[in-house]
Amino acid sequence: MRIIDAQVHIWGSGKPSGQHRQTSVYTAAELIGEMDAAGVDSAVLHPPSWDPHSNEMAIDAAVKYPEKFCSLGWFPLDDPSQRKRIETWKQQPGMVGLRWSLTRDGQETWHQDGTMDWLWPAAEKAGTPIATMAWRFLPRFKQIAERHPNLKLIVDHLGLVRSAQGQDAFATLDDLLPLAKLPNVAIKATGAPGYSQQSYPFRDIQDGLHRIFDAFGPDRFFWGTDLTRMPCSYRQCVTFFTEELPWLNPKDQEKVMGQAVTNWLQWQQP
């Protein structure tokens, strides 16, 4: 089974946000070392916004290790001069889509203040998938997906409450699960251990994960880690899904652990 992490970061400068490792540099070579030790074959890079040159770093990684990496990059949405970049975005090496976390200061209202309004039709026209942390605006996100049925959208980090743990993290489920009825919406099951109040195998979040998986199915439910802020080892992030979830049968497991995300992003690995 080929294992592909749906979200990891590398960076070369800046101050990492939140609970990420507080180091100013984390390289592709360092990441590959950890991937090899954990049994992870490939990964989708998410250039972090704290490093203004992170897109270039991700492109370099995809050029050097094309079998290992593709990327969901970003550009400043609040700068209208940047908008035309979406037309040729996927012509860059390894770039298969775009992603905004919407967690930096001033970004929390972009989904409702008009900053992102141009993005959805432009991305749909360009055939460029968009991923974002939509937990704060899931009903509006559903409306966006309905208006743009040919736009592939990804909800980051299971659509759960970003700062919560245990059952409190799943407070968004009533808004999240209806999104599964829309075939153009997928979900990244990334960062799951960080939502648990317990140690491995994180039993307090297993039922919630099962509900989300049942709604979205194996073709739109992507395993991943957000490695640099996980409270457990990389290998435990893997075995949590491959060994501890009895409802994830072998056929579905192959999709969840890698096949599905490569299909969704149309990543043609060499």
Side-chain angles (χ1 to χ4, degrees):
M1 177 172 65
R2 190 164 181 81
I3 296 178
I4 300 173
D5 194 330
Q7 179 170 333
V8 289
H9 302 300
I10 58 173
W11 62 93
S13 67
K15 179 178 174 55
S17 63
Q19 297 176 328
H20 285 281
R21 299 175 191 176
Q22 295 301 297
T23 176
S24 59
V25 178
Y26 183 62
T27 66
E30 290 176 287
L31 173 58
I32 288 173
E34 295 197 50
M35 290 166 61
D36 289 346
V40 176
D41 297 290
S42 305
V44 184
L45 298 176
H46 288 48
S49 57
W50 63 75
D51 177 358
H53 303 294
S54 57
N55 281 318
E56 290 82 357
M57 193 169 179
I59 290 170
D60 288 345
V63 170
K64 190 172 183 179
Y65 310 104
E67 75 289 355
K68 290 286 187 184
F69 299 125
C70 68
S71 303
L72 296 178
W74 64 280
F75 54 81
L77 286 176
D78 54 349
D79 181 355
S81 70
Q82 299 282 317
R83 294 180 180 179
K84 287 188 70 65
R85 296 181 69 182
I86 200 168
E87 298 173 9
T88 57
W89 188 257
K90 292 198 298 181
Q91 294 177 19
Q92 302 173 98
M95 284 294 177
V96 294
L98 287 156
R99 188 255 184 175
W100 287 272
S101 65
L102 304 182
T103 57
R104 309 293 285 180
D105 289 343
Q107 296 180 356
E108 298 92 339
T109 60
W110 279 5
H111 64 278
Q112 64 185 13
D113 65 10
T115 302
M116 300 184 79
D117 288 355
W118 71 273
L119 175 65
W120 315 116
E124 184 177 33
K125 182 179 179 181
T128 302
I130 302 290
T132 191
M133 288 183 63
W135 68 271
R136 197 185 291 110
F137 62 105
L138 289 168
R140 186 178 184 90
F141 195 78
K142 183 172 182 289
Q143 294 174 351
I144 292 165
E146 289 170 336
R147 292 191 194 111
H148 304 284
N150 295 315
L151 172 60
K152 286 184 174 180
L153 293 165
I154 303 173
V155 178
D156 287 350
H157 299 336
L158 293 154
L160 304 185
V161 179
R162 182 172 182 249
S163 59
Q165 290 185 309
Q167 291 308 301
D168 290 345
F170 292 86
T172 55
L173 279 193
D174 286 346
D175 290 328
L176 175 69
L177 297 182
L179 284 166
K181 297 178 181 178
L182 303 176
N184 59 323
V185 179
I187 192 156
K188 278 190 294 179
T190 44
Y195 289 113
S196 178
Q197 293 177 313
Q198 301 179 4
S199 58
Y200 184 90
F202 317 118
R203 299 193 188 282
D204 59 334
I205 63 171
Q206 289 191 21
D207 287 343
L209 286 176
H210 195 180
R211 289 184 64 189
I212 298 170
F213 172 79
D214 278 350
F216 282 87
D219 293 303
R220 293 185 292 136
F221 184 93
F222 314 143
W223 171 82
T225 66
D226 204 15
L227 173 64
T228 49
R229 66 175 185 86
M230 287 298 93
C232 61
S233 73
Y234 204 172
R235 185 60 188 165
Q236 286 177 321
C237 288
V238 175
T239 58
F240 177 42
F241 274 70
T242 60
E243 299 178 8
E244 304 294 345
L245 305 179
W247 40 266
L248 197 56
N249 67 53
K251 182 179 178 181
D252 290 345
Q253 192 179 98
E254 287 195 16
K255 292 181 177 181
V256 168
M257 299 303 293
Q259 286 181 3
V261 71
T262 56
N263 290 340
W264 189 263
L265 296 174
Q266 297 182 315
W267 179 22
Q268 302 297 319
Q269 292 177 279

